[in-house]
Amino acid sequence: MTHVTLRPEFETLVDPYAPVGQVGTGFEFTEGPIWHPVHHFLLFSDMPADVRRRWDAKRGVVEAKRPSNKCNGMTYDAELNLIVCEHATSSLIRERPDGRREVIASHFENQELNSPNDVCVHSNGAIYFSDPWYGRMPVYGVERPRQLGFQGVYRVPSGGGPPKLVVDRHLFDQPNGLCFSPDERLLYVNDTTQALIRVFDVEADGSLANARVFASGIRSELEPGLPDGMKCDQRGNVWVTAPGGVWVYSPAGELLGKVRVPELVSNLAWGGPEFRTLYLTATHSVYAIPVKAGPRHEPYMSGRTSTGPDAGSAAPASPQLASGDMQLDPRRCAMIIQDLQNDVIMEGGAFADSGSPGHARQQRVVDNVRRLAEAARARGVVIIHVWFIVEPGAPGVTLNAPLFEGLVDSNAMVRGSWGAAPVSGLEPRAGDFVVEKMRMSAWEGTRLETILKATGRDMIINTGAWTNMSVEHTARTGADKGYFMIVPEDCCSTMNADWHNASINFAMQNVAVVTNADAVLRGLG
């Protein structure tokens, strides 16, 4: 069986001839796959049989829990506690390593939920879940009357509390799979009955806004299958179960291709040591397919230690490792603010035609960096401004690369000029350091490392412009030198989103902890 390429980008995600391997079969109806990042096993539900099963390469398939309350969607939180949607109890629950079972949500406005179906966790700890009424039907749940007169999508705040309805109660017929975009600014929710995917903006308070249809017509008269499970990859593409297997959409909503599977697919999850295997629950079987693209980074994927058979508690070996739940000692941290100068990111600057002012606005990079810097200063973090500065005529700048040729041709970054000045709001404050450079990297030919060693800093919060040039070069060299590099991606910008995402989702992943400003602030305490 070969997969279906509709756009060339599809073949950068999965080989069109990638084998579809069966890792287990003979089940009644499988759902809810989730991979344990420490112990390397797959959990999935055999829903009608009321059994949760576990698969790993050594032991194959074994029972993990019976009865399972006909569980459906599952995930882990940042501490590797198992979060489970239970059809039989109409509850969303948390299972801890010591066996404790905690109810996260069971009622809305004093009425029982329908049957929590799928679930995802935000990096701030908030939990979002869908609530169709499949779990009140025979076979897939326990047949019983419904108490709510609608099917919603809910959010449970990170600190707990009653679920909050985050969509119009009459918008969905049967909300099902849901997932965040890589930057968590979007939440995708599909509707099995309406055969479509909607996308929402995630507001700062966790609410959803600006509902619109992302993809529709996800059905076929020739093959069975409808939207059910759904995940986002690291590049922002959306993978959704559909007729014939899994359909893959670009962030713009273009159908890129179809992963073909022999059975009706209900759900999917990335797994394997490097998260480059796609596991699919498909009616009577579970399948595995090697893929080229990894998943969007979810909080549980940073887990490093665990106890118990199905879940555990994460304790990062170093404070920089868990981007969803960092613990940063401000006394070890320095924040670099690099190249956020008028010529680089402002309208009227020497490089405005590159598109950089537009992307800087899109990223809100000035506001985010200012906010992070102010909070970091208050906590004792060293702030280091790194500026590209040349003398009039650019003496000493070698024209060995197009970037430097463009700088000289544009008469940019000249000392004392408006273009070389920091953008408004990011001027140095008392106690800050300023480092000048004439290359892309903040390290090359500068006193940066002298300042870091003198102040005892080995963890660097790396911000600025441009993501794929100065920021990336600084991260790579810093990692080589033994520093812990932290890149809050919403504090960086470049010429456009494509260049930014390529750097953030690929190059940076191997040399830095990629996160966001809010996570860094939480980490600093």
Side-chain angles (χ1 to χ4, degrees):
M1 173 176 290
T2 58
H3 310 299
V4 179
T5 300
L6 299 176
R7 290 179 178 267
E9 303 94 304
F10 180 71
E11 296 189 9
T12 69
L13 308 177
V14 58
D15 190 301
Y17 299 99
V20 181
Q22 191 180 71
V23 300
T25 191
F27 314 118
E28 294 187 36
F29 186 88
T30 61
E31 252 288 4
I34 184 67
W35 182 263
H36 197 288
V38 176
H39 296 313
H40 304 298
F41 61 77
L42 183 78
L43 288 181
F44 63 95
S45 172
D46 191 350
M47 224 177 347
D50 202 14
V51 179
R52 183 187 306 157
R53 302 186 189 276
R54 165 179 167 158
W55 174 87
D56 63 48
K58 291 183 178 179
R59 295 195 298 167
V61 177
V62 297
E63 279 194 13
K65 188 178 183 65
R66 180 194 290 265
S68 66
N69 292 327
K70 297 203 170 184
C71 64
N72 194 335
M74 295 184 285
T75 190
Y76 293 107
D77 63 18
E79 287 74 42
L80 294 182
N81 301 303
L82 190 65
I83 309 297
V84 185
C85 296
E86 292 186 346
H87 276 191
T89 66
S90 295
S91 300
L92 181 72
I93 65 105
R94 175 184 286 112
E95 293 184 8
R96 295 195 179 273
D98 59 8
R100 283 180 295 155
R101 180 181 183 276
E102 302 170 0
V103 176
I104 299 171
S106 60
H107 289 73
F108 177 72
E109 295 181 346
N110 296 318
Q111 302 292 309
E112 280 188 352
L113 295 169
N114 296 310
S115 58
N117 189 282
D118 206 356
V119 59
C120 59
V121 179
H122 191 277
S123 63
N124 66 14
I127 301 172
Y128 292 72
F129 68 94
S130 59
D131 186 46
W133 64 281
Y134 292 120
R136 292 177 181 260
M137 298 179 183
V139 181
Y140 304 108
V142 176
E143 188 172 12
R144 60 205 190 279
R146 285 178 277 166
Q147 295 187 13
L148 290 175
F150 64 93
Q151 289 68 241
V153 177
Y154 298 88
R155 172 181 175 269
V156 178
S158 57
K164 301 177 183 295
L165 184 67
V166 289
V167 300
D168 183 280
R169 63 181 63 199
H170 301 300
L171 183 62
F172 288 95
D173 288 336
Q174 294 283 24
N176 201 323
L178 71 173
C179 60
F180 287 108
S181 61
D183 59 10
E184 297 184 327
R185 296 180 183 180
L186 302 174
L187 182 73
Y188 298 92
V189 185
N190 66 46
D191 190 311
T192 301
T193 301
Q194 297 176 15
L196 54 75
I197 303 170
R198 288 188 174 89
V199 62
F200 302 80
D201 296 329
V202 181
E203 302 289 270
D205 62 358
S207 61
L208 303 183
N210 192 22
R212 63 266 192 201
V213 173
F214 172 75
S216 59
I218 309 174
R219 54 164 53 96
S220 171
E221 296 180 357
L222 303 177
E223 294 179 298
L226 285 167
D228 192 339
M230 184 166 63
K231 295 289 188 295
C232 204
D233 70 22
Q234 66 189 125
R235 308 179 196 179
N237 302 299
V238 176
W239 301 55
V240 60
T241 66
V246 175
W247 294 8
V248 184
Y249 290 89
S250 75
E254 303 165 324
L255 183 58
L256 302 180
K258 302 177 181 181
V259 178
R260 305 283 295 172
V261 183
E263 297 180 63
L264 175 69
V265 179
S266 64
N267 213 330
L268 65 153
W270 269 269
E274 303 298 328
F275 286 100
R276 287 300 185 275
T277 300
L278 190 66
Y279 290 94
L280 303 114
T281 49
T283 312
H284 305 301
S285 307
V286 176
Y287 294 92
I289 303 172
V291 291
K292 300 177 182 179
R296 88 151 185 114
H297 185 88
E298 300 191 42
Y300 78 88
M301 293 176 182
S302 293
R304 288 296 184 270
T305 62
S306 179
T307 58
D310 292 349
S313 57
S318 298
Q320 83 282 359
L321 290 177
S323 62
D325 189 21
M326 286 187 292
Q327 295 179 358
L328 302 175
D329 182 351
R331 296 169 298 179
R332 296 175 58 187
C333 291
M335 178 177 172
I336 291 177
I337 303 173
Q338 184 166 199
D339 292 2
L340 290 180
Q341 298 162 262
N342 292 322
D343 269 343
V344 180
I345 66 165
M346 296 300 292
E347 296 289 357
F351 302 120
D353 290 345
S354 69
S356 61
H359 191 246
R361 289 193 299 271
Q362 179 184 336
Q363 288 286 98
R364 301 191 63 198
V365 69
V366 176
D367 290 340
N368 290 335
V369 170
R370 182 195 300 118
R371 176 169 62 95
L372 182 56
E374 288 175 353
R377 280 191 195 95
R379 290 160 173 79
V381 174
V382 169
I383 307 297
I384 304 173
H385 303 261
V386 179
W387 297 339
F388 202 120
I389 298 289
V390 299
E391 305 299 335
V397 176
T398 55
L399 305 183
N400 61 311
L403 177 72
F404 304 128
E405 292 176 357
L407 179 138
V408 173
D409 291 344
S410 301
N411 194 33
M413 320 299 277
V414 177
R415 185 185 302 279
S417 68
W418 171 84
V423 298
S424 178
L426 293 181
E427 299 86 355
R429 305 280 184 88
D432 291 358
F433 293 91
V434 175
V435 170
E436 295 184 0
K437 63 171 187 171
M438 290 173 58
R439 311 307 285 172
M440 276 185 281
S441 171
W443 304 94
E444 186 64 32
T446 76
R447 64 190 188 112
L448 174 61
E449 194 159 20
T450 300
I451 294 170
L452 294 172
K453 290 186 179 300
T455 56
R457 311 292 162 144
D458 64 350
M459 304 182 74
I460 298 176
I461 304 164
N462 188 23
T463 74
W466 289 333
T467 316
N468 58 308
M469 294 188 186
S470 296
V471 177
E472 182 180 318
H473 278 247
T474 298
R476 288 178 179 276
T477 303
D480 278 344
K481 287 177 173 288
Y483 291 89
F484 299 121
M485 304 302 297
I486 302 160
V487 179
E489 72 86 20
D490 53 356
C491 293
C492 306
S493 67
T494 184
M495 288 85 75
N496 55 59
D498 287 342
W499 280 111
H500 176 82
N501 291 334
S503 181
I504 287 295
N505 292 333
F506 294 94
M508 297 280 203
Q509 295 289 333
N510 293 316
V511 294
V513 172
V514 177
T515 182
N516 57 47
D518 288 338
V520 173
L521 288 172
R522 289 194 300 275
L524 290 170

